[in-house]
Each structure stands twice: as C-alpha cells, then as structure tokens.
Amino acid sequence: MEKVKWGILSTAGIGQKQVIPAIGRAANAEAIAIASRGDKAKEAAVRHNIAKAYTSYQELLQDPEIDAVYIPLPNSLHKQWVIEAARHGKHVLCEKPAALNVEELQEMIEACSRHGVKFMEAFMYQFHPLHEKVRELIDAKEIGELSLVRASFSFLLEKDAENIRLNNALGGGSVYDVGCYCLHSIRTVLGEEPVQIHAHAKWDDHLNVDTTVAGTMSFASGIEAGFDCSFDQFPENKYELVGSAGKIEVINAYRPDKNPDGEGLIRLTKAGGELIEKRIPGDQYRSQVEHFSKSILEDTPLYYSDEKMLLNMKVIDACYQSIHTGKVVRIAEERS
C-alpha cells in the first residue's frame, strides 16, 4: 500500500508519546524524519526507528522525500512553520490550537491554498467513534429534546514558568490548551454555532495567562451550554447533554487513549431511572493520521475543513474577548 512519508517538527512530548506511534500504526503513513536542536532529534529517531534526524526545521522541510509534516511546536510558532512548510510544498497537520487568533489562521489557510497543500488542525478526539454514537443517540431522541450541554476539561499543573502551557509569549493559557476542546465539542455535537458567549477567568498576573475559565454559550435553537477548563483542578475530561427525557454523559471524551483499547464511555440515563452504559473502543490518533494521509493520497476533502477551523477559532477569539472585557460577546454575525 502506498504510504505518506511524514516529517516531525520537534521532539515535543505529544509527538513522541502519541502521534509518532500512531503514524507507525497507520496503514497508509510512515515517519521518516524528525528535526530538533542538538542531539534531541537523533535520540528520538533511534527511539522511534525513524531513518533521518535533522538539527533544524529548515533542513527537514528541504527533504524532497517528505510529503507531510506534523507540527507540535508551541502555539506561538504554529503560524510561522505552517506557512514555511506550505512554501516547501509539505502538507501540514498542526497541533491545536492551530493559531492564536482568526487573523493568523486565515493567513495560514491562504498560504496552504496558494501552495496547493492540505492543512488540518489536530483535534484528534473528533476521530473517535464515541462522538458519532452520541450524535446517533441525540438524533434518535433517546433523551428527548436537548436543552443543555456541559463540557469540562481540567488537570492540575504545577506553576512552573518554564512550562509552555503557562508562557504567555508562547501562547499559553487554559483555553488554548484544554478549553478549546470544550468549545469545539459543544459546537460539533450540536452541529450549530453559538450566537453569544460569556466567560470569566482566574488570571495569573505573574504568568499573565488564564489558569481557570468558566463560561456559557447560547445557541439560536434555544440550547444553552456551559464549559469550564483549568490547570488548577482535579482532572476532568467529559461532556454531558441534558434533554427532556434523560441525559448522556460522555466520560473520557477527549483522551480515551489513556484507557485500555482507547475506550470511551457513554452513560445514558433515562427519565425513569434506567441506566445504559456503552463502552466504545477506538484509536483516535491513528484514525486522524489515516484520514489526513488518505486525503493526501486520494486528493479527497478533509473532514475538518478550513471553514470548520475558522469557526472554532472565532469562538476562541470571542471567549478571550469576553474574558478581557467582562462582557457578553455576540458572535453570530461573525460566522463564515
């Protein structure tokens, strides 16, 4: 089977722990190069059985054998290296958030389009079959008329200024790191865009980043949504949908890969008290890699399109606008 040849820009943990192994499991992909400063790339290449190790990103991008690159760099560097990769004719899978704001993302999309390469933000969770099952349950009216969605993603993070998640200059903050999943999943499972958002943050003045954020979104359909994300709380990783005849809880919604067989859990509670649990296995990182690679090999559209990426970025922008102004931000008129 023909395979897409991948290069990895940096030895970041998410790449080494999740994405490089997923490329190895994928039927249509192969990691052939990795780049980083000093000896880090050589060490990672040996560890993951990757043929080539480069000491600069430019060297890797100049390799004519490489078809696509995965970019897990700090958020503030995404724009620079996505555009540079596109200029070298490489397709790009970039970690979330793809950009720090809509303007950056538009520039990145335009560059990739201009150079004829595919570009996708790596929201890997959406490739797990768990979420398609949730949509099936909603469409089948298993919980009646849906009225409320809640999403939470949090974990305890030691306050270390060296951690890129806490570095404002590198695009740190809880919304960019984990809150973006909450906003994305609410919009995706509902299949519609919010008309307004209101968010509050616990802001670390020393680090100049948000460490906890809670907010609400309203939708034209009448559905309300609540979300929270944090670096200060007991770990949570779920979303919940409440209707007139029951509720659906999606446990391990964003990181089911941490469980055996990548298993996520759907807990359906009926109005009469009946409880139904569905355990759904999956390999979301492999599925993401295979989808992107197939799109390259067969020149087919990406599931997570440019328009979808822009819509999510607009909601993230509105979230930060609300945090900084303390006001409700209307966003319906900003949609593409």
Side-chain angles (χ1 to χ4, degrees):
M1 181 180 186
E2 189 179 358
K3 294 185 176 183
V4 171
K5 293 180 172 58
W6 285 79
I8 317 298
L9 293 191
S10 99
T11 54
I14 187 66
Q16 294 204 61
K17 293 175 184 177
Q18 301 296 344
V19 178
I20 294 173
I23 292 172
R25 296 192 300 272
N28 58 359
E30 178 185 8
I32 68 164
I34 187 166
S36 189
R37 299 186 187 91
D39 293 328
K40 288 184 178 181
K42 291 180 182 178
E43 293 167 2
V46 171
R47 188 178 304 118
H48 299 286
N49 195 28
I50 295 173
K52 304 177 186 182
Y54 292 107
T55 56
S56 79
Y57 303 148
Q58 282 287 356
E59 279 186 286
L60 185 148
L61 293 177
Q62 290 166 3
D63 185 334
E65 280 196 276
I66 294 171
D67 304 308
V69 294
Y70 166 63
I71 299 179
L73 294 166
N75 300 334
S76 61
L77 298 179
H78 289 178
K79 175 187 168 183
Q80 174 187 351
W81 289 104
V82 166
I83 292 174
E84 191 65 14
R87 193 174 69 82
H88 283 82
K90 311 302 184 188
H91 304 285
V92 185
L93 177 66
C94 180
E95 262 309 322
K96 42 52 59 184
L100 297 181
N101 53 57
V102 168
E103 290 73 23
E104 280 194 359
L105 184 54
Q106 285 175 327
E107 285 185 57
M108 295 155 74
I109 288 171
E110 288 166 6
C112 290
S113 176
R114 184 166 62 251
H115 293 288
V117 299
K118 294 182 183 293
F119 170 44
M120 191 174 80
E121 185 177 23
F123 271 112
M124 76 298 177
Y125 89 95
Q126 65 187 323
F127 292 95
H128 196 289
L130 188 67
H131 311 289
E132 184 59 38
K133 185 61 180 178
V134 170
R135 286 188 286 269
E136 289 175 8
L137 293 172
I138 294 169
D139 291 343
K141 302 294 184 182
E142 291 288 345
I143 59 171
E145 294 300 322
L146 181 60
S147 60
L148 179 68
V149 184
R150 307 184 188 104
S152 300
F153 200 176
S154 61
F155 63 99
L156 277 171
L157 181 64
E158 184 180 350
K159 296 300 185 293
D160 178 2
E162 299 301 312
N163 192 314
I164 63 171
R165 292 182 173 91
L166 297 171
N167 189 321
N168 177 270
L170 295 178
S174 64
V175 171
Y176 281 143
D177 192 59
V178 285
C180 59
Y181 286 99
C182 299
L183 300 174
H184 189 279
S185 61
I186 291 169
R187 297 172 41 262
T188 300
V189 77
L190 293 181
E192 64 174 310
E193 297 303 311
V195 295
Q196 65 181 36
I197 187 169
H198 193 198
H200 302 271
K202 177 182 176 183
W203 199 271
D204 188 305
D205 291 328
H206 176 66
L207 297 168
N208 196 27
V209 295
D210 53 294
T211 60
T212 296
V213 172
T216 59
M217 291 191 291
S218 301
F219 293 81
S221 61
I223 295 172
E224 294 293 320
F227 62 91
D228 60 86
C229 59
S230 182
F231 294 150
D232 302 318
Q233 297 172 184
F234 181 81
E236 288 193 286
N237 169 16
K238 65 183 181 181
Y239 65 84
E240 181 180 14
L241 305 107
V242 183
S244 57
K247 69 177 182 178
I248 297 168
E249 296 170 275
V250 186
I251 312 299
N252 300 316
Y254 310 115
R255 293 302 306 273
D257 54 281
K258 294 188 175 184
N259 297 329
D261 298 321
E263 190 175 82
L265 172 65
I266 295 174
R267 186 176 290 139
L268 170 62
T269 305
K270 299 279 197 169
E274 180 186 6
L275 176 63
I276 302 169
E277 291 190 344
K278 300 178 185 292
R279 297 183 183 277
I280 301 177
D283 190 343
Q284 58 190 18
Y285 283 101
R286 173 181 175 174
S287 296
Q288 175 179 249
V289 168
E290 289 188 334
H291 171 74
F292 193 75
S293 297
K294 180 180 179 181
S295 179
I296 293 168
L297 293 170
E298 300 180 7
D299 194 23
T300 51
L302 290 164
Y303 165 72
Y304 194 42
S305 65
D306 294 347
E307 180 184 13
K308 289 179 179 179
M309 289 193 290
L310 281 167
L311 287 170
N312 199 62
M313 196 73 244
K314 287 176 181 178
V315 176
I316 293 173
D317 277 2
C319 182
Y320 273 117
Q321 183 183 346
S322 182
I323 287 169
H324 292 308
T325 64
K327 297 179 180 179
V328 174
V329 175
R330 291 196 58 81
I331 52 180
E333 62 271 27
E334 298 297 328
R335 290 184 293 169
S336 295

